[in-house]
């Protein structure tokens, strides 16, 4: 089977074979006449949604981290990455089969060296090498896959493997789906896995992000409630965030997730949230960590209008410990904090999207408005494998 990525998270058309053989590379983005003066939000968007996936027929699936750089010659970005193996539920039968994850070679070696009988197989062939569940595991369906992969990652945790990832063990089961963006509760649930272990296999994380705001009649401005994350948090300590956010556990709906998180993180009344909640879309968040772990996210976006008199507002829940403080910011203050890198990555993208949808970021205020919008509208499924031979710079 010959397979390529028809449309990766970001693409790279016009790359020579020599260039593709290198693990680190730099490209200049042309046709950005205002980039030498100001690049606006584009460097933030490129560097936050930084995962690039490329199927390279000579060496398999490569993943790259993209970092934007603004210099005297305009905007450019670097790509630095490594080869991976696609993770299929079972042996792929055609080019329409979609992998559910991507596995780094350090994890592949752990699979090969696993002492007990491993539920996963590493298959090498001339056309495509891959990781999948063994047939006897698949025979038992989702429950069997869940049981065996949970035992595998628990063994790794007990053996002190991948401590940088598994030290965040939460005892929360998160879903892995056989198809992109399924309806919760559908037959598309393939299995569940410990939340902390998702990056070991490049499985997408499903979650919810909410922005609470109100209209100030005196100033005519939209005011946003913005929390600062606790400085004791393991990830993004001390950064600014959306008002409320959280991951979706197996079997949990997006609405139930965000209502629960609103009560836990912001001490908001559950009935008020449920009655006034507005769902605004889904944000794909292709991301690779500084250490190289593949962390794609798909976030259900919500906004919550609040009364302008302050009678209902988010408050710190001391028992939760997630938030250090809440503060009010207008759109200009949000923009300054976005451009200076003060926000957590996925939350920055949620605010960029909100500001565009609400007309507070426009072609008149953002020099690379079209490219920013393109990035926010990337294809939602990260690992589509098709026979198309090339990738393009902008999706």
């Amino acid at each position: 089977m010959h397979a390529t990525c028809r449309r990766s998270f970001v693409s790279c058309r016009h790359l020579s074979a020599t260039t593709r053989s290198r693990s680190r590379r730099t490209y200049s983005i042309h046709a950005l006449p205002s980039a030498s003066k100001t690049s606006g939000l584009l460097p933030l968007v490129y560097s936050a949604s930084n995962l690039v996936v490329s199927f390279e027929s000579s060496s398999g699936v490569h993943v790259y981290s993209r970092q934007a750089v603004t210099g005297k010659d305009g905007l450019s970005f670097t790509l630095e990455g490594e080869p991976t193996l696609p993770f299929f539920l079972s042996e792929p039968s055609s080019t329409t089969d979609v992998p559910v994850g991507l596995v780094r070679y350090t994890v592949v070696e752990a699979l090969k060296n696993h002492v007990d009988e491993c539920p996963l197989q590493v298959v090498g062939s001339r056309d495509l090498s891959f990781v999948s569940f063994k047939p006897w595991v698949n025979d038992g369906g989702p429950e069997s896959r869940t049981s065996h992969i949970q035992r595998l990652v628990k063994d790794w945790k007990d053996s002190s493997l991948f401590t940088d990832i598994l030290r965040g063990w939460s005892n929360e089961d998160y879903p892995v789906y056989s198809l992109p963006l399924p309806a919760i509760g559908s037959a598309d649930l393939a299995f569940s896995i410990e939340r902390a272990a998702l990056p070991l296999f490049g499985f997408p994380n499903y979650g919810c992000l909410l922005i609470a705001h109100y209209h100030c009649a005196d100033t005519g401005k939209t005011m946003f409630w913005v929390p600062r994350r606790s400085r004791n948090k393991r990830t993004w300590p001390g950064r600014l965030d959306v008002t409320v956010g959280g991951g979706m556990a197996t079997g949990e709906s997006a609405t139930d997730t965000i209502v629960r998180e609103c009560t836990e993180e912001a001490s908001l009344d559950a009935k008020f949230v449920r009655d006034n909640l507005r769902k605004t879309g889904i944000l794909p968040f292709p991301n690779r960590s500084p250490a190289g772990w593949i962390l794609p996210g798909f976030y259900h976006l919500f906004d919550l209008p609040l009364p302008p008199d302050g009678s209902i507002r988010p408050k710190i829940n001391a028992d939760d410990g997630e938030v250090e403080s809440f503060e009010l910011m207008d759109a200009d203050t949000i923009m300054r904090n976005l451009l200076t890198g003060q926000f957590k990555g996925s939350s920055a993208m949620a605010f960029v999207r909100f500001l565009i949808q609400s007309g507070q970021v426009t072609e008149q205020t953002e020099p690379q408005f079209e490219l920013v919008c393109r990035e926010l509208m990337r294809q939602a499924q990260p690992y589509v494998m098709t026979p198309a031979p090339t990738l393009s710079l902008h999706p």
Side-chain angles (χ1 to χ4, degrees), residues 29-71:
I29 301 173
H30 302 292
L32 302 182
S34 62
S36 60
K37 298 178 181 178
T38 173
S39 297
L41 289 166
L42 194 60
L44 166 69
V45 174
Y46 273 177
S47 296
S49 297
N50 69 343
L51 176 62
V52 178
V53 180
S54 170
F55 188 93
E56 303 180 12
S57 58
S58 62
S59 52
V61 182
H62 279 61
V63 295
Y64 299 94
S65 296
R66 177 182 58 177
Q67 181 67 43
V69 179
T70 303

Side-chain angles (χ1 to χ4, degrees), residues 206-235:
Y206 294 85
C208 300
L209 303 174
L210 176 143
I211 295 173
H213 57 89
Y214 68 86
H215 177 75
C216 180
D218 292 339
T219 64
K221 294 182 177 181
T222 300
M223 303 300 296
F224 303 90
W225 282 107
V226 179
R228 187 172 295 279
R229 293 165 65 86
S230 168
R231 298 179 194 276
N232 295 322
K233 286 189 69 68
R234 190 173 64 88
T235 57

Side-chain angles (χ1 to χ4, degrees), residues 13 63 68 129 142 160 204 210-211 216 251 259 292 303 320 322 339 361-362 380:
R13 193 171 56 193
V63 295
S129 297
S160 297
L210 176 143
I211 295 173
C216 180
V259 170
D303 73 84
D320 183 62
E322 297 283 325
L339 294 173
V361 169
T362 67

Side-chain angles (χ1 to χ4, degrees), residues 178-329:
S178 57
L179 295 174
L181 301 179
I184 297 301
S186 75
D188 296 326
L189 177 66
F191 59 93
S192 298
I193 188 172
E194 155 64 34
R195 176 183 188 175
L198 289 171
L200 294 178
F201 304 99
F203 297 145
N205 172 49
Y206 294 85
C208 300
L209 303 174
L210 176 143
I211 295 173
H213 57 89
Y214 68 86
H215 177 75
C216 180
D218 292 339
T219 64
K221 294 182 177 181
T222 300
M223 303 300 296
F224 303 90
W225 282 107
V226 179
R228 187 172 295 279
R229 293 165 65 86
S230 168
R231 298 179 194 276
N232 295 322
K233 286 189 69 68
R234 190 173 64 88
T235 57
W236 302 93
R239 292 293 187 92
L240 300 178
D241 210 338
V242 291
T243 312
V244 174
M248 296 171 60
T250 300
E252 193 173 30
S253 72
T255 297
D256 288 344
T257 296
I258 202 62
V259 170
R260 171 178 54 79
E261 294 289 349
C262 280
T263 61
E264 292 177 358
E265 292 186 0
S267 303
L268 290 166
D269 177 73
K271 185 178 186 306
F272 173 85
V273 173
R274 197 174 289 275
D275 290 347
N276 293 275
L277 197 63
R278 300 192 302 204
K279 187 170 183 180
T280 60
I282 291 177
L283 175 72
F285 183 61
N287 184 255
R288 184 168 179 255
S289 77
W293 295 108
I294 305 165
L295 305 166
F298 296 102
Y299 298 110
H300 296 261
L301 298 181
F302 296 88
D303 73 84
L304 182 66
L306 298 177
D309 61 4
S311 58
I312 299 176
R313 52 155 293 183
K315 298 176 183 178
I316 297 172
N317 180 355
D319 294 331
D320 183 62
E322 297 283 325
V323 174
E324 179 179 291
S325 62
F326 283 100
E327 58 183 295
L328 279 173
M329 296 184 186

Side-chain angles (χ1 to χ4, degrees), residues 156-184:
W156 286 350
K157 175 179 178 290
D158 293 342
S159 301
S160 297
L161 288 176
F162 307 114
T163 54
D164 57 329
I165 294 296
L166 297 180
R167 67 180 177 178
W169 195 275
S170 65
N171 290 315
E172 296 175 278
D173 291 347
Y174 270 42
V176 177
Y177 294 106
S178 57
L179 295 174
L181 301 179
I184 297 301

